[in-house]
Amino acid sequence: MFGDLFEEDYSSVSNDHYGKGKKLKTKALELPAPRGFTSLSGIRNQGGTCYLNSLLQTLHFTPEFREALFSLGPEELGSLEDKDKPDAKVRIIPLQLQRLFAQLLLLDQEAASTADLTDSFGWTSDEEMRQHDVQELNRILFSALETSLVGTSGHDLINRLYHGTIVNQIVCKECKNVSEKQEDFLDLTVAVRNVSGLGDALWDMYVEEEVFDSDNLYHCGTCDRLVKAAKSAKLRKLPPFLTFSLLRFNFDFVKCERYKETSCYTFPLRINLKPFCEQSELDDLEYMYDLFSVIIHKGGCYGGHYHVYIKDVDHLGNWQFQEDKSNPDVNLEDLRNEEELDDPLMILKAVLLQEESNLIPVDQLGQKLLKKIGISWNKKYRKQYGPLRKFLQLHSQIFLLSSDDSTVSLLKDCSLQAESDIRGNDQQLLKTLTSEPPGLNDRPFCPHWFDINDSRVQPIKEKDIEQQFQGKESAYMLFYRKSQLQRPPEARANPRYRVPCHLLNEMDAANIELHIKRAECDSTNNNFELHLHLSPHYHFFNGALHPVVSQTESMWDLTFDKRKTLGDLRQSIFQLLRKILHLPLPKRDGPDALPSLLLEFWEGDMVLSVAKFVPAGLHVYQTLDGDHLTLCEIEIADGEDIFVWNGVEVGGIQIPAGSDCEPLLLNVLHPATSNEEEECQQLIDSPHVFPSNAEIGSVFTAFAIPDGVILVNKTESVGEESWITIPKEDLKKTFREQGLRNGSSILIQDSNDGNSLLTKQGKWITSVNEIDWLQVKNLCQLDAEEEQVKISATLNTCLKVMLEKSGLSGDAWHLRKMDWCYEAGEALREEDAALKELMLCSGDTLLLIEGKLPPLGFLKVPIWWYQPRGPLHRWKSHQDQTDCTFSQGGVWRADSIQDAPSDAHTEVSLRYLGDVEISEDATLGELKSQAMTLPSFSEFSIPSPAFLRAWTVESKRPGRLLRAHYQQLREYKLGQRTEICLEPLQKEENLGPQHVLLRTQMRLPGKRAYALPVDLVWDTARGWTAGSLRHRVADFYSLPVEKIEIAKYLPEKFEWLPIPSWNQQITKRKKKKKQDNLQGAPYHLKDGDTIGIKNLLVEDDDDFSTVRDDIGREKQKEFALGKKKSQEALRVRSGDVPSGAETPARPRGPEASLSIHVGSFR
């Protein structure tokens, strides 16, 4: 019935899996991954079967259902080997379920496949790719099982575990005759809309009585006439397992579309059903149920995904979290308490301090973070702190990023501080680790929860269930089990319990086969190649290592198992050297004894270092330490170059090692040295090697130039080059800090040469970056030196350039950065700040906006005049006072509008007065006083600011009421875009935080209209209840509380929402008063809301609407219909002209019923 109402995203599924009725299975994994650290198995998604996977896991973790199915042997169900025989009656569905449950229990694989099970359902690939509703599947699967088990000892399996009954009763108020009707159920469907939780929904269904009276009388068979009666329902028989289906999907008849209820809907971990049962004489334990499964739907009503929270009743899984699993031993260096893990600064400092040079590529930093805390940056910190690279940039006072953001290190001061901080935390860490052992707290006594999401199984905490109360990802089905159901001790942590022998043998054989194949695969996959470079075959010159003879003769390839240790690698290299040197291997006195001849050959210890080929030659990086560590743990990669040496020198020359001194091969252009005076001096382009940590000024020393200017080539586009001058103060920076790489070009110009060498070559563009730098030539006749002046590109400079380019003048302009919605974002205020400080990059769009910004700490607030219609809101301008009379109390009254019927609840009149520039430290009263000085305000006669009420403007209507007269504007958190409207008052008011200001309108008898609105202040100190509001309204209008009806007006829907008298709904059989709160759904009452009042003494009907409401709703329907027609016309036009470049969106498929095909076994 739902078809593909809940479609999943098929973008990751190959089109080859689609077919029209044909069976096109995805190819099974030849070697499935073993189970994860939880020791539980997931189920692979076939494309759209997440709903099936969630329900199957729930049934699998229902031990009573699983064992009842296992109790049916081949003599009753038949054998899968005989399923193709024509005369054999093989009950395929229960057999495949048995086999699937056995795989989930015993087979060592990360996820089981449901392909054989869906085959038994008779599903094609179309049905496996289409997602259905899990509530519908629950009923259809139970029906298929009941049909499949007819004639076996398990024929009543479903009824025995899930069947319950409800009794509906109608009691005649006259003769007390009871009319009864009993209904069966396998699951209970409960409402979500306008209900706060499961308890309230059950109360409405099985405690509340529906009364038949007035125009809705009941025909009693005994009395043979229409009488008053009461209808109620009760639970008569409770099953061992109770399933609740939540009605989260509804239909909006106004918009003609489906929608999902995402409001908060609570449900308890344990529930007592005694108040809802017909028989309540038994002990309370008979009515107690525990939650053990929650199926969750994530997404909307036209697409989404299912997963399930499961309670491990039999303790089959390992609830230990992965980060604890990887470090079972308490280790102060690796384990941190939860508070420290939440601080990314502390974690990143600890990772960098473990590096010898405190320098590491940013990409490797993320990997080391994952290894240290067991969870990646994106999963742990990205949502709160953003990407890792951006986080490092924002904390430049701690981390030093290279110019190309590829490497990061700790600043020296911060590294010392971090070391002291970590030492200071060690004692606290020890206390935390010894008081809270990780992982298996109370494991034998308390079952734990897991999140099973298709193939992925993760442990969760019980409190995580509360996150599924509301939102787009929320609970959809709830499964409870009787608290009295106890599991036998032999079933605890025993996955083989009650599994039939033939399935045990099948799973054992499959596990043996899997282990053999994995061992073979591991042996093949874990071998990798290492390239060994022996130091006697190399010599050091021009900043790098080079082979003495040739590269081929200086390198040896070694195949090695990366699971072995570094010590094993050393021994293998010794054996390789013995073969190379043709030396016999002498006897060893112990495992650490080294061959004496090799010691003499190396003249010291053998050191293994990671080396890499760079353009300058072979460079040695970090030294490998820790002979007990495996090559995987020290992160040796396939094809790594290993340099074998004594760790100090090669050929008598000390070798610089590490990434900080990596040699750079640069192209240096320098003047040609000539004894003859040439009219046009030439440039020589020569390669030269410099250490990356050397100062740029060392170029002068290398080329014997006493002083000069250095320019760096910056390629703008193909065939075009530009040169940037390096200021003198930056000559002490290193090549790496300046952003130079291998192949970069630098130009040396002698400062004594007054002529530019760039223009004489004729092949370079001689532009210098005009925004960042200017080179100023000293044209005075004095012997002053030439200076380089740094001119930063500030926001103010950018503003002037944009005004000049636009041909505009004046200072009443400011800049805003375009956001990702292509709209003007927040104003850029710091005019003297550099563009880099404002995080402005190349390609950003700046908008030139008219209007001068207020100074920092000031607000520019637009002021509006708000004049609601009503007897208490008749302040008049000076021009209108001739038509008004002044009464006592300072109220201006106009005779022409007294007691006129009104629909003023739909009208909001705002008039712009002007802008006020005011400090954020000013009070609300000062804002009102400054607004009264606006020229437009002079038209109104307001005695003082105390006679003004302030609102924020939201969607062209008054929004939030600003109460405290002496509260600072900063505390209201108004923001730069907030607008304020002022409403006149007839007297001063002092509203407290517990007061709510409502607009009340009395309905005119005999007319579909209301009197003018009147302000009413409601004190909510005793609660936001309907009874409290009704008493306040009745007292305000001097009416009996039982003779009024009130309703809240919803202007966006042109509807009135009645606020009922909750006391009138309490019946004799009701044992609990329903708690109402008008702050919550569906009323969400707040300041400024309109409340309609109906006097039942003169009018007794249920209609609150007006003629204007009818017109408004009709216009809304016409608008929705016109929008729908325009969308359909657009789709038709786009379908008539197909585009070859664009792939049309896959249309939503027609609704199709879900079915499971079962043979006849009667």
Side-chain angles (χ1 to χ4, degrees):
M1 59 180 284
F2 290 91
D4 44 7
L5 172 61
F6 309 101
E7 296 173 357
E8 288 193 286
D9 185 7
Y10 298 154
S11 58
S12 62
V13 182
S14 170
N15 293 332
D16 296 338
H17 301 326
Y18 290 95
K20 298 181 179 180
K22 295 182 181 180
K23 201 66 181 177
L24 294 176
K25 295 287 184 183
T26 56
K27 185 177 180 180
L29 292 175
E30 294 181 1
L31 197 63
R35 296 185 181 225
F37 65 96
T38 62
S39 300
L40 297 178
S41 176
I43 301 177
R44 285 195 292 274
N45 194 327
Q46 296 189 52
T49 56
C50 60
Y51 69 105
L52 173 65
N53 296 348
S54 300
L55 182 59
L56 290 175
Q57 290 283 14
T58 299
L59 297 177
H60 166 242
F61 280 93
T62 308
E64 292 78 5
F65 177 88
R66 183 182 69 229
E67 292 164 7
L69 197 62
F70 280 152
S71 67
L72 304 175
E75 63 279 0
E76 292 187 278
L77 302 181
S79 174
L80 290 174
E81 299 173 356
D82 302 331
K83 65 179 181 179
D84 296 327
K85 295 181 180 180
D87 298 332
K89 285 193 174 182
V90 181
R91 305 170 193 266
I92 303 179
I93 293 178
L95 283 172
Q96 292 292 2
L97 267 180
Q98 283 185 345
R99 193 163 179 269
L100 176 64
F101 288 166
Q103 290 175 352
L104 292 173
L105 286 170
L106 300 170
L107 197 57
D108 185 19
Q109 59 180 1
E110 182 184 38
S113 172
T114 55
D116 292 334
L117 180 64
T118 53
D119 276 347
S120 69
F121 291 168
W123 289 1
T124 63
S125 58
D126 285 341
E127 285 150 328
E128 290 161 358
M129 299 300 295
R130 180 187 294 121
Q131 186 178 128
H132 291 273
D133 179 49
V134 70
Q135 297 175 2
E136 181 188 18
L137 173 69
N138 184 56
R139 300 185 182 105
I140 292 175
L141 181 59
F142 279 2
S143 175
L145 277 174
E146 283 185 315
T147 306
S148 298
L149 297 177
V150 168
T152 69
S153 59
H155 66 279
D156 62 342
L157 186 152
I158 302 299
N159 278 342
R160 190 170 71 247
L161 297 180
Y162 297 96
H163 176 262
T165 57
I166 301 172
V167 58
N168 294 295
Q169 295 180 341
I170 299 179
V171 181
C172 176
K173 296 291 187 181
E174 302 290 336
C175 66
K176 307 302 180 183
N177 178 60
V178 178
S179 175
E180 233 178 49
K181 182 181 179 182
Q182 182 170 296
E183 296 179 5
D184 300 325
F185 70 86
L186 295 178
D187 66 288
L188 294 175
T189 302
V190 292
V192 174
R193 185 182 181 188
N194 297 336
V195 180
S196 63
L198 180 62
D200 285 346
L202 294 176
W203 193 273
D204 292 341
M205 293 168 63
Y206 303 117
V207 177
E208 295 278 5
E209 289 185 344
E210 181 182 357
V211 179
F212 297 107
D213 57 5
S214 302
D215 296 334
N216 186 26
L217 296 175
Y218 168 71
H219 185 273
C220 176
T222 305
C223 301
D224 196 21
R225 60 188 176 88
L226 295 175
V227 297
K228 292 184 178 181
K231 180 182 178 182
S232 63
K234 288 290 181 182
L235 296 171
R236 173 166 285 179
K237 173 182 173 291
L238 292 175
F241 297 91
L242 196 55
T243 305
F244 293 101
S245 299
L246 310 186
L247 285 177
R248 284 208 176 266
F249 296 99
N250 285 315
F251 190 84
D252 190 329
F253 290 95
V254 176
K255 298 181 180 179
C256 294
E257 63 181 14
R258 296 185 180 96
Y259 69 96
K260 180 178 179 180
E261 289 285 352
T262 58
S263 57
C264 183
Y265 191 88
T266 61
F267 46 88
L269 295 174
R270 170 169 286 191
I271 188 169
N272 185 356
L273 298 178
K274 189 173 184 177
F276 316 118
C277 293
E278 184 183 31
Q279 303 295 331
S280 57
E281 294 81 10
L282 301 177
D283 187 74
D284 280 358
L285 290 177
E286 295 287 339
Y287 306 97
M288 300 300 293
Y289 281 75
D290 292 328
L291 183 71
F292 77 97
S293 176
V294 182
I295 292 182
I296 298 156
H297 180 263
K298 177 182 180 181
C301 54
Y302 293 112
H305 178 70
Y306 288 98
H307 62 107
V308 61
Y309 284 180
I310 290 286
K311 187 178 183 180
D312 185 12
V313 177
D314 277 350
H315 300 270
L316 300 176
N318 175 22
W319 192 73
Q320 189 175 7
F321 282 90
Q322 187 170 13
E323 53 264 34
D324 296 335
K325 177 75 174 179
S326 61
N327 298 301
D329 299 327
V330 176
N331 188 332
L332 286 178
E333 187 178 1
D334 297 330
L335 287 177
R336 299 295 179 193
N337 58 15
E338 186 175 351
E339 181 179 355
E340 186 180 359
L341 282 176
D342 289 336
D343 183 9
L345 279 176
M346 181 69 71
I347 297 297
L348 293 175
K349 286 179 183 178
V351 172
L352 287 170
L353 284 173
Q354 291 179 352
E355 301 298 316
E356 291 182 359
S357 60
N358 285 345
L359 181 70
I360 187 175
V362 176
D363 296 334
Q364 292 185 18
L365 179 62
Q367 298 173 6
K368 290 185 178 292
L369 176 74
L370 171 63
K371 183 177 177 181
K372 183 174 182 64
I373 66 175
I375 188 170
S376 67
W377 174 275
N378 286 343
K379 289 184 178 180
K380 179 71 176 175
Y381 303 112
R382 184 183 177 96
K383 185 174 182 181
Q384 183 176 359
Y385 298 101
L388 175 58
R389 203 178 301 270
K390 182 178 179 181
F391 180 82
L392 297 173
Q393 293 171 348
L394 292 176
H395 293 80
S396 57
Q397 74 278 12
I398 299 175
F399 304 106
L400 176 62
L401 278 167
S402 62
S403 58
D404 58 351
D405 292 346
S406 62
T407 60
V408 62
S409 62
L410 272 177
L411 293 175
K412 291 183 179 180
D413 295 339
C414 294
S415 63
L416 296 175
Q417 180 65 30
E419 287 181 4
S420 63
D421 290 345
I422 291 177
R423 285 196 299 269
N425 288 337
D426 279 350
Q427 191 169 2
Q428 178 63 30
L429 288 172
L430 180 61
K431 185 184 299 183
T432 302
L433 294 171
T434 54
S435 62
E436 295 182 5
L440 305 176
N441 289 344
D442 302 326
R443 185 180 186 278
F445 307 101
C446 178
H448 294 297
W449 287 81
F450 293 88
D451 177 13
I452 305 182
N453 191 343
D454 289 337
S455 302
R456 181 172 169 269
V457 183
Q458 291 289 333
I460 61 170
K461 297 179 180 179
E462 203 170 58
K463 63 181 181 181
D464 293 337
I465 300 175
E466 298 178 4
Q467 299 175 6
Q468 308 303 332
F469 285 168
Q470 62 186 342
K472 288 189 175 181
E473 182 178 5
S474 50
Y476 192 56
M477 285 189 78
L478 308 175
F479 296 84
Y480 286 83
R481 56 182 288 127
K482 262 194 172 181
S483 302
Q484 289 185 330
L485 293 176
Q486 298 296 326
R487 300 291 296 148
E490 55 270 21
R492 187 181 300 272
N494 181 13
R496 304 176 72 89
Y497 181 71
R498 293 284 180 91
V499 180
C501 292
H502 68 281
L503 289 175
L504 286 175
N505 296 333
E506 181 184 347
M507 295 303 114
D508 290 342
N511 280 328
I512 292 173
E513 184 179 357
L514 274 175
H515 292 162
I516 293 174
K517 287 184 177 180
R518 285 184 183 133
E520 296 173 353
C521 184
D522 287 346
S523 177
T524 303
N525 294 338
N526 286 301
N527 287 338
F528 62 5
E529 296 288 332
L530 297 177
H531 306 306
L532 301 180
H533 304 267
L534 305 183
S535 62
H537 294 265
Y538 280 83
H539 62 133
F540 184 83
F541 74 94
N542 201 13
L545 292 165
H546 298 271
V548 176
V549 184
S550 67
Q551 187 65 51
T552 305
E553 297 180 5
S554 303
M555 184 176 68
W556 285 265
D557 292 335
L558 176 65
T559 302
F560 201 73
D561 190 339
K562 60 185 177 183
R563 294 171 296 181
K564 292 186 178 181
T565 65
L566 182 61
D568 296 331
L569 177 62
R570 289 187 197 276
Q571 187 61 33
S572 298
I573 294 176
F574 275 131
Q575 294 176 1
L576 179 64
L577 290 175
R578 181 180 62 83
K579 295 178 182 179
I580 296 173
L581 301 173
H582 302 287
L583 296 175
L585 186 64
K587 296 181 180 179
R588 294 185 297 169
D589 299 330
D592 296 328
L594 297 175
S596 58
L597 291 176
L598 290 178
L599 280 175
E600 294 176 4
F601 176 80
W602 289 107
E603 298 181 355
D605 293 334
M606 172 187 286
V607 175
L608 303 181
S609 299
V610 176
K612 292 182 181 179
F613 282 101
V614 295
L618 185 69
H619 180 67
V620 177
Y621 289 85
Q622 73 269 21
T623 298
L624 302 178
D625 293 321
D627 283 4
H628 63 285
L629 298 176
T630 65
L631 299 190
C632 290
E633 291 173 332
I634 59 179
E635 299 179 350
I636 297 295
D638 188 17
E640 197 85 78
D641 292 285
I642 304 295
F643 191 67
V644 186
W645 61 317
N646 61 8
V648 180
E649 49 83 23
V650 173
I653 301 177
Q654 190 170 355
I655 304 300
S659 58
D660 54 338
C661 58
E662 178 182 318
L664 297 178
L665 183 61
L666 305 177
N667 297 319
V668 182
L669 288 86
H670 57 93
T673 57
S674 176
N675 295 328
E676 300 178 0
E677 294 184 0
E678 298 180 0
E679 185 177 350
C680 181
Q681 191 177 16
Q682 299 293 319
L683 289 177
I684 296 178
D685 186 356
S686 62
H688 202 282
V689 177
F690 295 94
S692 57
N693 59 350
E695 295 181 358
I696 295 182
S698 62
V699 175
F700 296 126
T701 305
F703 288 90
I705 297 177
D707 194 10
V709 178
I710 297 178
L711 296 94
V712 177
N713 177 269
K714 180 181 179 183
T715 302
E716 299 282 345
S717 60
V718 179
E720 181 179 341
E721 297 177 349
S722 64
W723 294 84
I724 299 177
T725 305
I726 298 178
K728 285 188 176 180
E729 58 266 28
D730 285 350
L731 292 178
K732 293 184 178 181
K733 288 186 177 181
T734 65
F735 289 94
R736 187 183 298 277
E737 291 173 342
Q738 197 62 36
L740 294 178
R741 303 179 183 178
N742 285 295
S744 296
S745 298
I746 61 175
L747 170 67
I748 307 174
Q749 185 172 349
D750 193 345
S751 59
N752 297 323
D753 184 9
N755 299 318
S756 172
L757 299 177
L758 294 176
T759 56
K760 299 175 182 179
Q761 297 297 320
K763 62 179 181 179
W764 292 291
I765 295 177
T766 60
S767 64
V768 178
N769 192 329
E770 296 177 357
I771 295 181
D772 291 333
W773 310 101
L774 290 179
Q775 183 154 340
V776 181
K777 183 90 174 187
N778 185 9
L779 299 179
C780 300
Q781 299 300 321
L782 300 177
D783 294 334
E785 295 183 356
E786 179 179 338
E787 295 290 341
Q788 294 179 14
V789 183
K790 181 177 180 180
I791 300 179
S792 300
T794 63
L795 183 65
N796 196 22
T797 306
C798 187
L799 177 60
K800 291 179 180 178
V801 171
M802 291 184 68
L803 287 173
E804 182 180 351
K805 296 288 186 182
S806 305
L808 301 173
S809 60
D811 58 352
W813 298 89
H814 67 276
L815 294 177
R816 293 179 184 264
K817 181 180 177 181
M818 182 182 290
D819 60 17
W820 63 277
C821 294
Y822 299 97
E823 296 178 352
E826 290 291 333
L828 302 176
R829 297 182 160 275
E830 303 176 14
E831 294 184 355
D832 296 330
L835 299 184
K836 188 173 182 181
E837 295 175 2
L838 297 174
M839 306 297 288
L840 293 175
C841 307
S842 176
D844 288 343
T845 301
L846 298 182
L847 303 177
L848 190 61
I849 307 295
E850 187 173 8
K852 187 174 178 62
L853 290 175
L856 196 63
F858 280 73
L859 298 173
K860 188 173 183 180
V861 184
I863 303 295
W864 297 79
W865 180 257
Y866 172 45
Q867 181 83 54
R869 296 179 58 189
L872 302 182
H873 301 87
R874 294 190 183 143
W875 291 104
K876 289 293 177 180
S877 64
H878 293 303
Q879 295 96 313
D880 297 335
Q881 288 181 11
T882 55
D883 300 328
C884 303
T885 59
F886 188 76
S887 63
Q888 292 182 355
V891 181
W892 292 100
R893 297 192 178 276
D895 297 333
S896 59
I897 62 170
Q898 285 185 354
D899 301 323
S902 171
D903 283 330
H905 52 261
T906 62
E907 299 176 0
V908 175
S909 177
L910 294 177
R911 176 183 170 186
Y912 177 69
L913 298 180
D915 294 340
V916 168
E917 189 173 306
I918 191 168
S919 170
E920 291 181 338
D921 296 327
T923 64
L924 179 63
E926 292 170 342
L927 172 66
K928 296 177 183 178
S929 299
Q930 196 163 337
M932 293 178 65
T933 62
L934 293 172
S936 303
F937 203 93
S938 59
E939 302 177 10
F940 307 102
S941 299
I942 303 297
S944 70
F947 287 80
L948 290 174
R949 180 185 292 154
W951 304 79
T952 61
V953 178
E954 300 173 6
S955 301
K956 300 181 181 180
R957 288 176 172 272
R960 178 163 57 106
L961 177 62
L962 307 181
R963 301 169 181 272
H965 192 71
Y966 297 102
Q967 188 169 338
Q968 288 184 336
L969 300 180
R970 186 188 306 275
E971 298 176 12
Y972 288 112
K973 300 180 180 179
L974 298 180
Q976 296 295 332
R977 300 186 181 183
T978 304
E979 301 181 8
I980 300 294
C981 65
L982 300 177
E983 175 188 354
L985 301 174
Q986 70 159 352
K987 62 180 180 181
E988 299 181 14
E989 69 177 8
N990 185 19
L991 298 179
Q994 75 278 7
H995 292 142
V996 180
L997 179 68
L998 301 174
R999 314 281 194 193
T1000 60
Q1001 290 185 267
M1002 178 64 72
R1003 189 174 177 88
L1004 300 177
K1007 299 179 181 179
R1008 296 187 65 196
Y1010 289 86
L1012 294 173
V1014 180
D1015 288 351
L1016 179 144
V1017 178
W1018 173 34
D1019 189 350
T1020 61
R1022 295 186 178 181
W1024 286 71
T1025 62
S1028 172
L1029 177 59
R1030 290 173 59 84
H1031 279 87
R1032 177 69 183 103
V1033 172
D1035 181 65
F1036 186 80
Y1037 282 94
S1038 302
L1039 291 171
V1041 67
E1042 66 274 7
K1043 295 299 181 182
I1044 64 169
E1045 289 292 342
I1046 57 177
K1048 176 189 172 181
Y1049 185 64
L1050 307 176
E1052 67 279 359
K1053 295 183 178 181
F1054 297 96
E1055 294 178 356
W1056 294 85
L1057 184 60
I1059 301 177
S1061 172
W1062 299 92
N1063 294 332
Q1064 294 176 356
Q1065 293 189 358
I1066 299 176
T1067 62
K1068 293 182 179 179
R1069 300 186 62 172
K1070 190 166 182 178
K1071 301 177 181 178
K1072 174 178 106 172
K1073 182 177 178 180
K1074 193 170 184 177
Q1075 295 299 319
D1076 58 303
N1077 189 330
L1078 299 183
Q1079 270 187 308
Y1083 301 101
H1084 302 289
L1085 207 61
K1086 63 182 184 303
D1087 290 310
D1089 282 346
T1090 299
I1091 301 296
I1093 302 125
K1094 187 180 295 185
N1095 185 354
L1096 299 182
L1097 295 175
V1098 296
E1099 187 176 18
D1100 189 11
D1101 60 37
D1102 299 330
D1103 184 24
F1104 276 89
S1105 64
T1106 65
V1107 176
R1108 184 185 295 272
D1109 296 332
D1110 296 340
I1111 297 173
R1113 286 195 297 270
E1114 192 63 32
K1115 288 183 178 179
Q1116 279 188 340
K1117 290 181 180 179
E1118 293 176 359
F1119 177 76
L1121 185 61
K1123 184 178 179 182
K1124 183 178 180 181
K1125 289 181 178 178
S1126 63
Q1127 290 175 349
E1128 291 177 353
L1130 183 62
R1131 283 197 294 268
V1132 170
R1133 286 198 300 271
S1134 61
D1136 290 340
V1137 187
S1139 172
E1142 297 181 359
T1143 303
R1146 185 170 60 87
R1148 188 173 294 122
E1151 295 187 0
S1153 62
L1154 176 65
S1155 62
I1156 296 177
H1157 306 288
V1158 187
S1160 176
F1161 301 101
R1162 298 187 181 274

